[in-house]
Amino acid sequence: MTSKEKSWKEISPAGVCWKASTQFLTGDWKTYKPVRDLEKCTRCLLCVLFCPDGAIHWKPEKGDIEFDYNFCKGCGICANECPAKAIEMKLE
Ligand code: SF4
Ligand code: SF4
């Protein structure tokens, strides 16, 4: 974003976003962020499937998942759906 562009906080309600969502870091919408307990996580990947923002990625080279906080909006769906209860929503 250049310094002349408005952030999403400055555009009027029902304003139209003027560029691709991949260029628009929406992660600062969140109040709560998902934090994973590595001991509890079974790497089942259900959270990857359920995240509506595609903000959880499977990293084959690590054999693990990774949250992308640039796009996570803090909806808590991943925490709700995790069968191992490995994700806790923590205040940002
Ligand atoms: S749903 Fe839970 S157990 Fe499965 S990969 Fe995600 S955090 Fe780990
Ligand atoms: S809190 Fe919502 S947006 Fe963020 S990783 Fe979980 S499911 Fe995705």
Side-chain angles (χ1 to χ4, degrees):
M1 187 169 72
T2 67
S3 58
K4 288 183 180 175
E5 289 180 350
K6 290 181 178 180
S7 79
W8 67 267
K9 293 175 183 172
E10 297 166 310
I11 60 175
S12 57
V16 176
C17 185
W18 54 91
K19 58 187 176 183
S21 60
T22 50
Q23 297 171 29
F24 208 69
L25 305 183
T26 48
D28 63 347
W29 292 13
K30 63 182 165 299
T31 306
Y32 290 88
K33 72 186 266 188
V35 177
R36 183 170 54 124
D37 183 328
L38 298 178
E39 299 295 318
K40 286 186 185 173
C41 175
T42 61
R43 280 71 177 173
C44 71
L45 306 185
L46 275 180
C47 54
V48 177
L49 297 176
F50 274 105
C51 176
D53 284 300
I56 311 173
H57 304 288
W58 169 244
K59 298 286 180 182
E61 69 279 8
K62 293 180 181 173
D64 206 353
I65 60 167
E66 204 171 85
F67 290 98
D68 185 346
Y69 292 117
N70 282 328
F71 293 100
C72 163
K73 297 187 181 72
C75 67
I77 291 174
C78 55
N80 194 56
E81 297 299 333
C82 173
K85 299 294 171 212
I87 302 175
E88 188 182 340
M89 298 303 291
K90 294 197 171 173
L91 197 61
E92 269 266 270

